[in-house]
Amino acid sequence: MSTRTSAGPDRTVPYDDLLTRYEPVLGLEVHVELGTATKMFCGCATGFGAEPNTQTCPVCLGLPGALPVVNRTAVESAIRIGLALNCGIAEWCRFARKNYFYPDMPKNFQTSQYDEPIAVDGWLDVEVPPREGVDEEPFTYRVEIERAHMEEDTGKSTHVGGSTGRIHGASHSLVDYNRAGIPLIEIVTKPLTGAGERAPEVARAYVGALRDLLRALDVSDVKMEQGSLRCDANVSLMPTGAERFGTRTETKNVNSLRSVERAVRYEMTRHAAVLDAGESILQETRHWHEDTGITTSGRPKSDADDYRYFPEPDLVPVAPTREDVERLRATLPENPAERRRRLQEEWGYSDLEMRDVVNAGAVEVIEATVAVGASPAAARKWWMGELARRAKTAGEDGSAVGLLDLGVTPAHVAELDDLVTSGRLNDSMARQTLDGVLAGEGSPTEVADARGLELVQDDGALQAAVDEVLAENPDVVEKIRGGKVQAVGALIGQVMKKMRGQADAGRARQLILDTLGVQG
Protein backbone atom coordinates (compact mmCIF):
# COMPACT_ATOMS: atom_id res chain seq x y z
CA MET A 1 0.00 0.00 0.00
CA SER A 2 1.31 3.44 -0.85
CA THR A 3 1.84 5.96 1.89
CA ARG A 4 1.35 9.68 1.84
CA THR A 5 4.14 12.10 2.60
CA SER A 6 4.07 15.86 2.55
CA ALA A 7 4.28 17.27 -0.97
CA GLY A 8 5.34 20.70 0.28
CA PRO A 9 4.38 24.03 -1.22
CA ASP A 10 6.80 23.74 -4.14
CA ARG A 11 5.90 20.24 -5.23
CA THR A 12 3.52 20.65 -8.13
CA VAL A 13 3.29 19.60 -11.76
CA PRO A 14 2.57 21.81 -14.78
CA TYR A 15 -1.15 22.41 -15.15
CA ASP A 16 -1.38 21.36 -18.81
CA ASP A 17 0.60 18.22 -18.02
CA LEU A 18 -1.73 16.95 -15.29
CA LEU A 19 -4.74 17.27 -17.60
CA THR A 20 -3.34 14.49 -19.79
CA ARG A 21 -3.67 12.01 -16.93
CA TYR A 22 -6.27 13.25 -14.48
CA GLU A 23 -9.84 14.50 -14.42
CA PRO A 24 -10.66 17.12 -11.78
CA VAL A 25 -13.70 16.79 -9.55
CA LEU A 26 -14.84 19.82 -7.57
CA GLY A 27 -17.30 20.44 -4.78
CA LEU A 28 -18.03 23.98 -3.67
CA GLU A 29 -19.51 24.99 -0.35
CA VAL A 30 -20.47 28.65 -0.20
CA HIS A 31 -21.31 30.26 3.13
CA VAL A 32 -23.53 33.32 3.00
CA GLU A 33 -24.13 35.63 5.94
CA LEU A 34 -27.69 36.90 5.75
CA GLY A 35 -28.31 40.62 6.07
CA THR A 36 -30.86 40.36 8.87
CA ALA A 37 -31.03 43.00 11.57
CA THR A 38 -30.59 40.41 14.32
CA LYS A 39 -28.84 37.08 14.79
CA MET A 40 -30.20 33.64 13.95
CA PHE A 41 -31.39 32.68 17.41
CA CYS A 42 -31.31 35.88 19.47
CA GLY A 43 -31.95 39.61 19.24
CA CYS A 44 -28.31 40.78 19.05
CA ALA A 45 -27.36 43.22 16.31
CA THR A 46 -25.39 42.02 13.29
CA GLY A 47 -23.64 45.19 12.06
CA PHE A 48 -20.13 44.69 10.70
CA GLY A 49 -17.21 46.46 12.36
CA ALA A 50 -18.61 47.01 15.87
CA GLU A 51 -16.28 46.98 18.85
CA PRO A 52 -15.34 43.37 19.71
CA ASN A 53 -17.76 41.46 21.92
CA THR A 54 -20.33 44.28 22.10
CA GLN A 55 -23.02 42.44 20.09
CA THR A 56 -23.49 39.42 22.31
CA CYS A 57 -25.97 38.03 24.82
CA PRO A 58 -26.47 34.88 26.91
CA VAL A 59 -27.97 33.03 23.92
CA CYS A 60 -25.16 33.55 21.40
CA LEU A 61 -22.55 33.13 24.15
CA GLY A 62 -24.08 29.78 25.08
CA LEU A 63 -24.64 30.63 28.76
CA PRO A 64 -26.59 28.13 30.90
CA GLY A 65 -30.37 28.49 30.76
CA ALA A 66 -30.44 30.67 27.62
CA LEU A 67 -32.91 29.43 25.01
CA PRO A 68 -32.78 30.19 21.27
CA VAL A 69 -35.65 31.45 19.11
CA VAL A 70 -35.54 31.13 15.31
CA ASN A 71 -35.25 34.31 13.24
CA ARG A 72 -38.30 34.27 10.90
CA THR A 73 -36.70 36.61 8.36
CA ALA A 74 -33.68 34.33 8.12
CA VAL A 75 -35.92 31.34 7.41
CA GLU A 76 -37.77 33.27 4.71
CA SER A 77 -34.45 34.33 3.18
CA ALA A 78 -33.32 30.70 3.15
CA ILE A 79 -36.50 29.68 1.33
CA ARG A 80 -36.08 32.46 -1.25
CA ILE A 81 -32.46 31.38 -1.84
CA GLY A 82 -33.60 27.78 -2.29
CA LEU A 83 -36.31 28.79 -4.74
CA ALA A 84 -33.90 30.97 -6.74
CA LEU A 85 -31.61 27.94 -7.00
CA ASN A 86 -34.47 25.80 -8.33
CA CYS A 87 -34.47 23.68 -5.18
CA GLY A 88 -37.31 21.79 -3.59
CA ILE A 89 -38.36 23.34 -0.28
CA ALA A 90 -38.88 21.02 2.68
CA GLU A 91 -42.37 20.96 4.16
CA TRP A 92 -40.80 20.03 7.50
CA CYS A 93 -37.20 20.24 8.65
CA ARG A 94 -35.21 20.51 11.87
CA PHE A 95 -32.07 22.04 13.27
CA ALA A 96 -29.32 19.83 14.65
CA ARG A 97 -26.34 20.22 16.93
CA LYS A 98 -22.98 19.84 15.23
CA ASN A 99 -20.63 19.08 18.10
CA TYR A 100 -17.02 20.15 18.05
CA PHE A 101 -14.75 22.14 20.30
CA TYR A 102 -13.36 25.33 18.84
CA PRO A 103 -12.67 28.55 20.75
CA ASP A 104 -14.73 30.79 18.45
CA MET A 105 -17.89 28.72 19.07
CA PRO A 106 -18.70 29.38 22.74
CA LYS A 107 -21.43 26.72 22.99
CA ASN A 108 -19.00 24.00 21.83
CA PHE A 109 -21.56 23.06 19.20
CA GLN A 110 -22.94 24.79 16.14
CA THR A 111 -26.67 24.91 15.55
CA SER A 112 -27.00 23.78 11.95
CA GLN A 113 -29.03 21.41 9.79
CA TYR A 114 -27.84 17.91 9.01
CA ASP A 115 -30.07 15.32 7.35
CA GLU A 116 -33.10 17.60 7.07
CA PRO A 117 -32.08 20.80 5.20
CA ILE A 118 -34.51 23.52 4.18
CA ALA A 119 -33.72 23.21 0.42
CA VAL A 120 -32.49 20.31 -1.73
CA ASP A 121 -31.80 19.22 -5.32
CA GLY A 122 -31.46 22.44 -7.27
CA TRP A 123 -29.31 23.85 -10.05
CA LEU A 124 -27.80 27.07 -11.34
CA ASP A 125 -26.75 27.60 -14.95
CA VAL A 126 -23.43 29.44 -15.06
CA GLU A 127 -21.98 31.23 -18.08
CA VAL A 128 -18.21 30.76 -18.25
CA PRO A 129 -16.63 33.61 -20.24
CA PRO A 130 -13.89 33.13 -22.86
CA ARG A 131 -10.33 33.10 -21.61
CA GLU A 132 -8.38 36.28 -22.18
CA GLY A 133 -6.51 36.13 -25.46
CA VAL A 134 -8.25 32.92 -26.56
CA ASP A 135 -10.64 32.93 -29.52
CA GLU A 136 -13.51 30.93 -28.07
CA GLU A 137 -17.17 31.28 -27.26
CA PRO A 138 -18.54 31.43 -23.70
CA PHE A 139 -20.21 28.23 -22.57
CA THR A 140 -22.86 27.38 -20.02
CA TYR A 141 -22.18 24.89 -17.24
CA ARG A 142 -25.03 23.60 -15.09
CA VAL A 143 -23.98 23.44 -11.44
CA GLU A 144 -26.19 21.00 -9.57
CA ILE A 145 -27.02 21.98 -5.99
CA GLU A 146 -27.19 19.25 -3.38
CA ARG A 147 -28.59 21.35 -0.55
CA ALA A 148 -28.88 24.75 1.05
CA HIS A 149 -29.19 24.66 4.80
CA MET A 150 -29.48 27.11 7.68
CA GLU A 151 -26.96 27.48 10.46
CA GLU A 152 -25.21 30.09 12.57
CA ASP A 153 -21.82 31.65 12.00
CA THR A 154 -18.92 31.31 14.41
CA GLY A 155 -16.95 34.05 16.12
CA LYS A 156 -13.66 35.31 14.79
CA SER A 157 -10.20 34.48 16.15
CA THR A 158 -7.25 36.82 15.73
CA HIS A 159 -3.85 35.23 16.27
CA VAL A 160 -1.30 37.70 17.59
CA GLY A 161 2.48 37.60 17.65
CA GLY A 162 3.25 35.43 14.65
CA SER A 163 4.36 36.40 11.16
CA THR A 164 1.54 34.77 9.21
CA GLY A 165 -1.57 35.72 11.18
CA ARG A 166 -2.28 32.04 11.82
CA ILE A 167 -2.21 30.15 15.10
CA HIS A 168 1.15 28.52 14.39
CA GLY A 169 3.83 30.77 15.82
CA ALA A 170 1.37 33.14 17.52
CA SER A 171 1.98 34.19 21.12
CA HIS A 172 -1.73 34.45 21.94
CA SER A 173 -5.16 34.63 20.35
CA LEU A 174 -8.10 37.01 20.74
CA VAL A 175 -11.71 36.01 20.10
CA ASP A 176 -14.51 38.34 19.00
CA TYR A 177 -17.97 36.80 19.44
CA ASN A 178 -19.88 39.52 17.57
CA ARG A 179 -20.14 37.26 14.52
CA ALA A 180 -21.15 34.19 16.55
CA GLY A 181 -24.80 33.46 15.85
CA ILE A 182 -25.21 35.55 12.67
CA PRO A 183 -27.59 33.73 10.27
CA LEU A 184 -25.67 31.69 7.74
CA ILE A 185 -26.80 29.75 4.68
CA GLU A 186 -24.48 27.06 3.40
CA ILE A 187 -24.99 26.15 -0.26
CA VAL A 188 -23.41 22.84 -1.24
CA THR A 189 -22.96 21.64 -4.80
CA LYS A 190 -23.03 18.10 -6.03
CA PRO A 191 -19.70 16.92 -7.50
CA LEU A 192 -18.75 19.07 -10.48
CA THR A 193 -17.32 16.89 -13.25
CA GLY A 194 -16.62 17.21 -16.94
CA ALA A 195 -15.15 20.71 -16.84
CA GLY A 196 -11.62 19.47 -17.57
CA GLU A 197 -9.08 22.25 -18.00
CA ARG A 198 -11.78 24.87 -17.40
CA ALA A 199 -12.58 23.56 -13.89
CA PRO A 200 -10.94 26.50 -12.04
CA GLU A 201 -12.82 28.96 -14.24
CA VAL A 202 -16.09 27.11 -13.69
CA ALA A 203 -15.54 27.42 -9.94
CA ARG A 204 -14.93 31.15 -10.22
CA ALA A 205 -17.89 31.68 -12.55
CA TYR A 206 -20.21 29.75 -10.22
CA VAL A 207 -19.27 31.73 -7.12
CA GLY A 208 -19.62 34.95 -9.13
CA ALA A 209 -23.03 33.95 -10.48
CA LEU A 210 -24.16 32.92 -7.01
CA ARG A 211 -22.99 36.24 -5.60
CA ASP A 212 -24.97 38.11 -8.27
CA LEU A 213 -28.06 36.06 -7.50
CA LEU A 214 -27.84 36.64 -3.76
CA ARG A 215 -27.32 40.37 -4.30
CA ALA A 216 -30.39 40.48 -6.54
CA LEU A 217 -32.39 38.66 -3.83
CA ASP A 218 -31.23 41.34 -1.36
CA VAL A 219 -30.59 38.74 1.33
CA SER A 220 -26.90 39.59 1.90
CA ASP A 221 -24.38 42.29 1.07
CA VAL A 222 -22.17 39.42 -0.27
CA LYS A 223 -18.97 41.32 0.56
CA MET A 224 -16.32 38.65 0.21
CA GLU A 225 -13.63 40.90 1.65
CA GLN A 226 -15.66 41.13 4.89
CA GLY A 227 -16.52 37.42 5.00
CA SER A 228 -20.21 37.88 4.16
CA LEU A 229 -19.67 35.36 1.40
CA ARG A 230 -16.86 32.85 1.47
CA CYS A 231 -16.14 29.64 -0.38
CA ASP A 232 -14.74 26.30 0.72
CA ALA A 233 -13.30 24.65 -2.39
CA ASN A 234 -13.12 20.85 -2.42
CA VAL A 235 -10.75 19.42 -5.03
CA SER A 236 -9.88 15.85 -6.02
CA LEU A 237 -8.33 14.19 -9.05
CA MET A 238 -9.10 10.83 -10.59
CA PRO A 239 -7.15 9.11 -13.36
CA THR A 240 -8.63 9.72 -16.79
CA GLY A 241 -11.24 7.05 -17.50
CA ALA A 242 -11.68 6.06 -13.85
CA GLU A 243 -15.13 5.97 -12.26
CA ARG A 244 -14.23 6.42 -8.59
CA PHE A 245 -13.52 9.90 -7.27
CA GLY A 246 -10.16 10.60 -5.67
CA THR A 247 -9.58 11.77 -2.09
CA ARG A 248 -10.50 15.42 -1.67
CA THR A 249 -9.02 18.33 0.17
CA GLU A 250 -11.02 21.35 1.29
CA THR A 251 -9.46 24.81 0.97
CA LYS A 252 -11.31 26.89 3.55
CA ASN A 253 -12.75 30.40 3.50
CA VAL A 254 -11.50 31.61 0.14
CA ASN A 255 -12.72 35.21 -0.05
CA SER A 256 -12.37 36.49 -3.61
CA LEU A 257 -13.39 35.22 -7.04
CA ARG A 258 -9.81 35.40 -8.27
CA SER A 259 -8.62 33.37 -5.30
CA VAL A 260 -11.26 30.68 -5.88
CA GLU A 261 -9.87 30.09 -9.36
CA ARG A 262 -6.24 30.23 -8.22
CA ALA A 263 -6.79 27.94 -5.21
CA VAL A 264 -8.51 25.28 -7.32
CA ARG A 265 -5.79 25.42 -9.95
CA TYR A 266 -3.02 25.18 -7.34
CA GLU A 267 -4.61 22.22 -5.55
CA MET A 268 -4.98 20.38 -8.85
CA THR A 269 -1.25 20.77 -9.55
CA ARG A 270 -0.37 19.76 -5.97
CA HIS A 271 -2.61 16.68 -6.00
CA ALA A 272 -1.10 15.54 -9.28
CA ALA A 273 2.43 15.78 -7.85
CA VAL A 274 1.46 13.65 -4.85
CA LEU A 275 -0.32 11.04 -6.98
CA ASP A 276 2.48 10.92 -9.56
CA ALA A 277 4.87 10.05 -6.72
CA GLY A 278 2.74 7.03 -5.82
CA GLU A 279 1.56 8.62 -2.58
CA SER A 280 -1.92 9.20 -1.19
CA ILE A 281 -3.79 12.43 -0.70
CA LEU A 282 -4.61 13.20 2.93
CA GLN A 283 -8.23 14.25 3.40
CA GLU A 284 -7.74 17.55 5.17
CA THR A 285 -8.59 21.21 5.26
CA ARG A 286 -6.16 23.63 3.64
CA HIS A 287 -5.43 27.34 4.05
CA TRP A 288 -5.11 29.59 0.99
CA HIS A 289 -2.31 32.17 0.94
CA GLU A 290 -3.12 35.04 -1.39
CA ASP A 291 0.40 36.48 -1.28
CA THR A 292 2.23 33.33 -2.35
CA GLY A 293 -0.54 31.62 -4.32
CA ILE A 294 -0.27 28.32 -2.44
CA THR A 295 -2.23 26.32 0.11
CA THR A 296 -0.89 24.85 3.34
CA SER A 297 -2.16 22.07 5.55
CA GLY A 298 -4.82 22.82 8.18
CA ARG A 299 -6.26 19.84 10.00
CA PRO A 300 -7.48 16.36 9.07
CA LYS A 301 -10.99 16.65 7.63
CA SER A 302 -13.70 15.16 9.79
CA ASP A 303 -16.56 13.14 8.37
CA ALA A 304 -20.15 13.74 9.43
CA ASP A 305 -20.11 10.93 12.00
CA ASP A 306 -17.31 12.67 13.89
CA TYR A 307 -19.54 15.64 14.64
CA ARG A 308 -22.10 13.50 16.54
CA TYR A 309 -25.11 15.29 15.05
CA PHE A 310 -28.40 15.02 16.90
CA PRO A 311 -31.65 17.03 16.65
CA GLU A 312 -31.58 20.38 18.47
CA PRO A 313 -33.89 19.86 21.47
CA ASP A 314 -34.46 23.59 22.15
CA LEU A 315 -35.92 24.49 18.74
CA VAL A 316 -39.18 23.47 17.15
CA PRO A 317 -39.13 22.14 13.58
CA VAL A 318 -39.49 24.56 10.68
CA ALA A 319 -42.60 23.78 8.63
CA PRO A 320 -43.36 26.38 5.94
CA THR A 321 -46.79 26.06 4.36
CA ARG A 322 -47.21 25.80 0.60
CA GLU A 323 -48.92 29.18 0.72
CA ASP A 324 -45.88 30.71 2.42
CA VAL A 325 -43.53 29.19 -0.13
CA GLU A 326 -45.58 30.48 -3.08
CA ARG A 327 -45.84 33.90 -1.47
CA LEU A 328 -42.04 34.00 -1.24
CA ARG A 329 -41.66 32.67 -4.78
CA ALA A 330 -43.64 35.69 -6.01
CA THR A 331 -40.96 37.99 -4.53
CA LEU A 332 -38.09 36.53 -6.56
CA PRO A 333 -36.33 39.02 -8.86
CA GLU A 334 -35.42 38.44 -12.47
CA ASN A 335 -32.48 36.08 -12.79
CA PRO A 336 -29.33 38.27 -13.04
CA ALA A 337 -27.96 36.47 -16.13
CA GLU A 338 -31.29 36.74 -17.96
CA ARG A 339 -31.56 40.37 -16.90
CA ARG A 340 -28.12 41.16 -18.30
CA ARG A 341 -29.02 39.56 -21.62
CA ARG A 342 -32.24 41.56 -21.78
CA LEU A 343 -30.49 44.83 -20.94
CA GLN A 344 -27.71 44.19 -23.45
CA GLU A 345 -30.28 43.75 -26.19
CA GLU A 346 -32.21 46.85 -25.11
CA TRP A 347 -29.06 48.97 -24.88
CA GLY A 348 -27.46 47.71 -28.08
CA TYR A 349 -24.13 46.93 -26.43
CA SER A 350 -21.66 44.52 -27.98
CA ASP A 351 -20.62 41.42 -26.03
CA LEU A 352 -17.33 43.09 -25.14
CA GLU A 353 -19.01 46.32 -24.03
CA MET A 354 -21.47 44.43 -21.83
CA ARG A 355 -18.71 42.28 -20.36
CA ASP A 356 -16.77 45.40 -19.40
CA VAL A 357 -19.88 46.91 -17.79
CA VAL A 358 -20.52 43.73 -15.81
CA ASN A 359 -16.90 43.43 -14.69
CA ALA A 360 -16.97 47.06 -13.52
CA GLY A 361 -20.13 46.45 -11.48
CA ALA A 362 -21.86 49.18 -13.47
CA VAL A 363 -25.01 47.41 -14.65
CA GLU A 364 -27.24 48.92 -11.98
CA VAL A 365 -25.94 52.49 -12.27
CA ILE A 366 -26.21 52.46 -16.05
CA GLU A 367 -29.72 51.04 -15.85
CA ALA A 368 -30.69 53.78 -13.38
CA THR A 369 -29.08 56.46 -15.57
CA VAL A 370 -30.99 55.29 -18.63
CA ALA A 371 -34.17 55.23 -16.57
CA VAL A 372 -33.84 58.97 -15.81
CA GLY A 373 -33.35 59.98 -19.42
CA ALA A 374 -29.79 59.34 -20.66
CA SER A 375 -29.14 57.26 -23.73
CA PRO A 376 -27.48 53.86 -23.13
CA ALA A 377 -24.40 55.01 -25.08
CA ALA A 378 -24.08 58.20 -23.02
CA ALA A 379 -24.56 56.36 -19.74
CA ARG A 380 -21.81 53.90 -20.63
CA LYS A 381 -19.54 56.69 -21.84
CA TRP A 382 -19.65 58.58 -18.54
CA TRP A 383 -19.74 55.70 -16.05
CA MET A 384 -17.17 53.53 -17.83
CA GLY A 385 -14.94 56.44 -18.84
CA GLU A 386 -14.53 59.56 -16.76
CA LEU A 387 -16.23 58.27 -13.60
CA ALA A 388 -14.52 54.86 -13.65
CA ARG A 389 -11.17 56.62 -14.00
CA ARG A 390 -11.86 58.83 -11.00
CA ALA A 391 -13.16 55.92 -8.91
CA LYS A 392 -9.77 54.20 -9.18
CA THR A 393 -8.11 56.81 -6.97
CA ALA A 394 -11.01 58.36 -5.06
CA GLY A 395 -10.35 56.65 -1.71
CA GLU A 396 -8.89 58.64 1.16
CA ASP A 397 -5.57 56.85 0.70
CA GLY A 398 -5.72 57.01 -3.08
CA SER A 399 -7.33 53.58 -3.34
CA ALA A 400 -10.24 52.59 -5.54
CA VAL A 401 -13.87 53.03 -4.51
CA GLY A 402 -17.15 51.87 -5.99
CA LEU A 403 -18.82 53.99 -8.64
CA LEU A 404 -21.70 54.93 -6.36
CA ASP A 405 -19.25 55.88 -3.60
CA LEU A 406 -18.08 58.84 -5.68
CA GLY A 407 -21.13 60.89 -4.69
CA VAL A 408 -22.37 61.24 -8.28
CA THR A 409 -25.89 59.92 -8.90
CA PRO A 410 -27.47 58.53 -12.07
CA ALA A 411 -29.60 61.71 -12.19
CA HIS A 412 -26.42 63.81 -12.14
CA VAL A 413 -24.96 61.87 -15.06
CA ALA A 414 -28.15 62.14 -17.09
CA GLU A 415 -28.31 65.88 -16.41
CA LEU A 416 -24.65 66.34 -17.32
CA ASP A 417 -25.08 64.50 -20.59
CA ASP A 418 -28.15 66.59 -21.41
CA LEU A 419 -26.05 69.73 -20.98
CA VAL A 420 -23.61 68.33 -23.54
CA THR A 421 -26.16 67.07 -26.08
CA SER A 422 -28.14 70.31 -25.87
CA GLY A 423 -25.02 72.23 -26.89
CA ARG A 424 -24.48 74.15 -23.67
CA LEU A 425 -21.26 72.32 -22.69
CA ASN A 426 -18.50 70.55 -24.55
CA ASP A 427 -16.75 67.53 -23.06
CA SER A 428 -14.01 69.66 -21.50
CA MET A 429 -16.58 71.86 -19.75
CA ALA A 430 -18.50 68.77 -18.71
CA ARG A 431 -15.40 67.43 -16.95
CA GLN A 432 -15.01 70.74 -15.14
CA THR A 433 -18.66 70.56 -14.17
CA LEU A 434 -18.11 67.03 -12.89
CA ASP A 435 -15.28 68.33 -10.71
CA GLY A 436 -17.75 70.70 -9.10
CA VAL A 437 -20.35 68.01 -8.54
CA LEU A 438 -17.72 65.79 -6.89
CA ALA A 439 -16.67 68.75 -4.74
CA GLY A 440 -20.23 69.11 -3.47
CA GLU A 441 -21.02 72.34 -5.30
CA GLY A 442 -24.44 71.14 -6.41
CA SER A 443 -26.09 69.60 -9.46
CA PRO A 444 -24.43 69.82 -12.89
CA THR A 445 -26.61 72.77 -13.91
CA GLU A 446 -25.91 74.58 -10.65
CA VAL A 447 -22.17 74.03 -11.05
CA ALA A 448 -22.16 75.16 -14.69
CA ASP A 449 -24.10 78.30 -13.76
CA ALA A 450 -21.84 79.14 -10.83
CA ARG A 451 -18.66 78.60 -12.84
CA GLY A 452 -19.91 80.39 -15.93
CA LEU A 453 -19.47 77.33 -18.12
CA GLU A 454 -21.32 77.65 -21.42
CA LEU A 455 -20.40 77.33 -25.06
CA VAL A 456 -20.30 80.55 -27.04
CA GLN A 457 -23.11 80.32 -29.57
CA ASP A 458 -22.18 83.55 -31.37
CA ASP A 459 -20.70 82.60 -34.75
CA GLY A 460 -19.41 86.12 -35.10
CA ALA A 461 -17.10 85.80 -32.12
CA LEU A 462 -16.04 82.33 -33.21
CA GLN A 463 -15.36 83.53 -36.78
CA ALA A 464 -13.21 86.36 -35.45
CA ALA A 465 -11.11 83.84 -33.51
CA VAL A 466 -10.82 81.64 -36.59
CA ASP A 467 -9.64 84.57 -38.71
CA GLU A 468 -6.98 85.46 -36.14
CA VAL A 469 -5.67 81.91 -35.98
CA LEU A 470 -5.55 81.59 -39.78
CA ALA A 471 -3.64 84.83 -40.05
CA GLU A 472 -1.15 83.65 -37.41
CA ASN A 473 -0.49 80.29 -39.11
CA PRO A 474 0.04 80.77 -42.85
CA ASP A 475 2.19 77.64 -43.15
CA VAL A 476 -0.57 75.43 -41.71
CA VAL A 477 -3.12 77.13 -43.95
CA GLU A 478 -1.03 76.21 -47.00
CA LYS A 479 -0.83 72.56 -45.88
CA ILE A 480 -4.60 72.40 -45.51
CA ARG A 481 -5.17 74.00 -48.92
CA GLY A 482 -2.66 71.55 -50.32
CA GLY A 483 -4.79 68.62 -49.23
CA LYS A 484 -3.54 67.84 -45.70
CA VAL A 485 -6.92 68.41 -44.08
CA GLN A 486 -5.81 66.61 -40.90
CA ALA A 487 -3.62 69.62 -40.11
CA VAL A 488 -6.79 71.50 -39.17
CA GLY A 489 -6.56 69.90 -35.72
CA ALA A 490 -3.66 72.14 -34.74
CA LEU A 491 -5.71 75.21 -35.60
CA ILE A 492 -8.80 74.03 -33.71
CA GLY A 493 -6.75 73.88 -30.52
CA GLN A 494 -5.63 77.47 -30.97
CA VAL A 495 -9.19 78.63 -31.67
CA MET A 496 -10.39 76.89 -28.50
CA LYS A 497 -7.61 78.60 -26.55
CA LYS A 498 -8.65 82.03 -27.81
CA MET A 499 -12.25 81.24 -26.88
CA ARG A 500 -11.12 80.06 -23.41
CA GLY A 501 -12.51 76.63 -24.12
CA GLN A 502 -16.02 77.99 -24.59
CA ALA A 503 -16.47 77.04 -28.22
CA ASP A 504 -17.74 73.99 -29.98
CA ALA A 505 -14.76 72.22 -31.55
CA GLY A 506 -16.85 70.75 -34.34
CA ARG A 507 -18.24 74.15 -35.26
CA ALA A 508 -14.74 75.67 -35.14
CA ARG A 509 -13.47 73.01 -37.54
CA GLN A 510 -16.27 73.66 -39.99
CA LEU A 511 -15.69 77.44 -39.92
CA ILE A 512 -11.97 76.95 -40.59
CA LEU A 513 -12.65 74.75 -43.61
CA ASP A 514 -15.41 77.05 -44.93
CA THR A 515 -13.15 80.07 -44.59
CA LEU A 516 -10.39 78.32 -46.54
CA GLY A 517 -12.83 76.93 -49.11
CA VAL A 518 -11.74 73.38 -48.38
CA GLN A 519 -14.01 70.33 -48.30
CA GLY A 520 -13.79 68.34 -45.05
Side-chain angles (χ1 to χ4, degrees):
M1 179 182 293
S2 63
T3 59
R4 189 267 186 194
T5 60
S6 174
D10 297 324
R11 193 171 169 190
T12 59
V13 301
Y15 185 74
D16 291 340
D17 180 45
L18 77 88
L19 294 166
T20 65
R21 304 185 303 283
Y22 298 106
E23 175 69 24
V25 180
L26 308 183
L28 302 173
E29 302 169 14
V30 175
H31 301 261
V32 185
E33 282 187 354
L34 298 180
T36 54
T38 57
K39 293 186 180 182
M40 188 73 209
F41 302 114
C42 66
C44 288
T46 57
F48 180 82
E51 285 295 314
N53 298 309
T54 58
Q55 297 178 165
T56 59
C57 73
V59 174
C60 56
L61 291 177
L63 300 184
L67 294 176
V69 177
V70 174
N71 184 324
R72 179 185 181 92
T73 300
V75 173
E76 291 185 343
S77 294
I79 293 172
R80 294 179 72 236
I81 290 171
L83 292 171
L85 292 171
N86 304 290
C87 290
I89 304 302
E91 296 183 359
W92 189 93
C93 62
R94 289 186 294 186
F95 286 96
R97 291 189 181 184
K98 180 181 181 181
N99 294 276
Y100 63 96
F101 173 77
Y102 214 68
D104 57 12
M105 180 52 72
K107 297 184 295 187
N108 290 338
F109 65 85
Q110 181 185 33
T111 305
S112 181
Q113 291 188 304
Y114 174 45
D115 56 346
E116 298 166 314
I118 186 72
V120 295
D121 294 330
W123 51 267
L124 180 64
D125 282 339
V126 175
E127 185 173 284
V128 183
R131 287 167 287 186
E132 187 174 351
V134 179
D135 184 17
E136 60 188 359
E137 293 295 318
F139 72 94
T140 299
Y141 184 98
R142 173 160 289 189
V143 175
E144 295 188 347
I145 307 298
E146 178 178 301
R147 57 191 280 150
H149 64 261
M150 300 179 286
E151 58 187 24
E152 59 182 336
D153 211 345
T154 62
K156 182 177 181 179
S157 297
T158 300
H159 305 297
V160 182
S163 59
T164 65
R166 301 195 181 279
I167 194 168
H168 301 292
S171 60
H172 62 284
S173 298
L174 303 174
V175 183
D176 178 9
Y177 290 120
N178 282 349
R179 197 174 69 181
I182 286 182
L184 202 65
I185 304 298
E186 182 175 351
I187 301 166
V188 182
T189 71
K190 294 180 180 180
L192 309 185
T193 60
E197 65 176 334
R198 306 297 300 277
E201 298 156 70
V202 167
R204 175 177 182 158
Y206 164 68
V207 178
L210 187 58
R211 184 180 65 174
D212 290 345
L213 181 62
L214 295 165
R215 184 187 289 118
L217 288 168
D218 196 27
V219 294
S220 171
D221 63 17
V222 292
K223 293 181 178 179
M224 297 187 75
E225 70 279 7
Q226 294 182 2
S228 299
L229 186 148
R230 47 196 192 267
C231 175
D232 295 345
N234 293 271
V235 176
S236 67
L237 295 181
M238 60 181 182
T240 302
E243 296 182 357
R244 184 176 179 179
F245 295 160
T247 301
R248 64 187 172 90
T249 57
E250 181 180 9
T251 304
K252 300 287 289 184
N253 296 327
V254 186
N255 65 354
S256 77
L257 299 183
R258 177 173 178 267
S259 293
V260 168
E261 180 178 349
R262 294 176 68 207
V264 168
R265 185 181 297 268
Y266 175 81
E267 275 297 278
M268 288 172 60
T269 63
R270 190 187 67 82
H271 279 220
V274 174
L275 296 173
D276 285 353
E279 301 163 6
S280 299
I281 300 295
L282 174 66
Q283 182 171 314
E284 63 179 347
T285 63
R286 308 279 298 181
H287 299 299
W288 169 249
H289 300 270
E290 180 65 35
D291 53 348
T292 58
I294 67 170
T295 66
T296 55
S297 181
R299 60 180 174 83
K301 177 62 178 174
S302 300
D303 291 316
D305 290 345
D306 297 323
Y307 291 121
R308 306 187 314 280
Y309 283 99
F310 66 87
E312 169 58 67
D314 292 333
L315 291 170
V316 298
V318 175
T321 66
R322 292 301 93 187
E323 292 77 14
D324 285 338
V325 171
E326 293 310 311
R327 172 179 59 82
L328 294 170
R329 190 190 303 275
T331 70
L332 298 183
E334 184 179 12
N335 180 278
E338 295 174 0
R339 173 170 167 261
R340 286 194 293 269
R341 285 191 288 270
R342 173 179 60 80
L343 290 174
Q344 180 180 354
E345 183 176 351
E346 291 177 2
W347 294 344
Y349 290 178
S350 68
D351 289 344
L352 180 59
E353 288 170 341
M354 193 65 186
R355 193 177 311 139
D356 288 343
V357 167
V358 171
N359 291 340
V363 174
E364 286 74 18
V365 292
I366 289 179
E367 183 179 26
T369 305
V370 171
V372 292
S375 69
R380 184 175 64 84
K381 165 191 168 184
W382 288 106
W383 285 111
M384 296 298 295
E386 191 66 25
L387 289 165
R389 181 182 65 79
R390 293 168 187 250
K392 289 180 180 179
T393 57
E396 290 184 4
D397 57 353
S399 60
V401 301
L403 289 173
L404 284 179
D405 295 326
L406 285 170
V408 177
T409 68
H412 285 150
V413 173
E415 183 180 337
L416 182 68
D417 187 68
D418 184 62
L419 292 174
V420 174
T421 56
S422 68
R424 172 170 177 177
L425 304 179
N426 58 24
D427 279 355
S428 175
M429 292 177 177
R431 287 190 287 272
Q432 295 177 57
T433 300
L434 195 55
D435 289 336
V437 175
L438 290 168
E441 297 174 17
S443 70
T445 300
E446 291 169 341
V447 172
D449 287 344
R451 295 192 176 195
L453 297 172
E454 186 168 4
L455 286 173
V456 173
Q457 304 294 336
D458 181 5
D459 267 4
L462 184 55
Q463 183 68 60
V466 167
D467 292 341
E468 287 182 30
V469 169
L470 294 178
E472 294 167 359
N473 296 272
D475 53 337
V476 180
V477 168
E478 287 306 311
K479 288 181 181 179
I480 296 172
R481 283 177 169 158
K484 294 185 178 180
V485 179
Q486 64 269 27
V488 76
L491 301 183
I492 293 173
Q494 294 185 48
V495 171
M496 296 298 291
K497 185 175 181 180
K498 287 183 179 294
M499 299 295 294
R500 297 182 180 179
Q502 293 183 294
D504 182 273
R507 182 59 180 155
R509 182 180 189 276
Q510 190 59 53
L511 284 177
I512 292 171
L513 295 176
D514 289 348
T515 302
L516 297 178
V518 175
Q519 294 295 320

